Amino acid sequence: VWFWFEVETSQVVDDFSPVDGGANRACRGANKNDNAASYYRINLGVQSIEDCKNLCRQEQACTGIEYNPNGRCEIWTRQEGIGASSETAGYTCLRKSAMP
């Protein structure tokens, strides 16, 4: 007796990549001291890094996120993108990748 199984594999593609390793990194503009408030919008009370990513995905201008488990989520919209990061405990900096 032969059985035929078709398995649907839905692969989750993460469209974000870590900046300088991602962990314990705060996002910056051109260099580690470049942190103009005009580069990002702050969202507070964001439950998870995945929720923060989803907020970014909903915004066409989003170039990346900075997330802290205390609920702080920065949606980066700097036209040149996230160019650097600064070592900051508890924060994660992720650059949004262009999807193929």
Side-chain angles (χ1 to χ4, degrees):
V1 177
W2 288 89
F3 292 97
W4 180 265
F5 293 99
E6 279 194 41
V7 180
E8 185 178 317
T9 56
S10 58
Q11 188 175 6
V12 177
V13 177
D14 195 349
D15 48 344
F16 290 86
S17 59
V19 177
D20 299 328
N24 296 313
R25 306 303 298 183
C27 299
R28 296 293 184 260
N31 60 60
K32 69 177 185 171
N33 299 313
D34 187 17
N35 192 32
S38 61
Y39 294 164
Y40 55 86
R41 187 184 77 248
I42 299 171
N43 295 273
L44 300 175
V46 177
Q47 298 292 316
S48 71
I49 196 165
E50 285 304 317
D51 288 347
C52 189
K53 288 179 183 180
N54 285 331
L55 288 171
C56 176
R57 289 178 181 118
Q58 293 168 17
E59 190 161 331
Q60 190 171 3
C62 183
T63 57
I65 63 165
E66 179 185 293
Y67 182 75
N68 184 293
N70 67 9
R72 180 185 171 101
C73 168
E74 292 181 4
I75 301 299
W76 273 67
T77 55
R78 179 178 183 260
Q79 195 168 3
E80 301 83 5
I82 298 167
S85 71
S86 174
E87 187 173 349
T88 309
Y91 285 83
T92 301
C93 179
L94 301 175
R95 188 177 290 120
K96 188 176 180 203
S97 309
M99 292 301 284

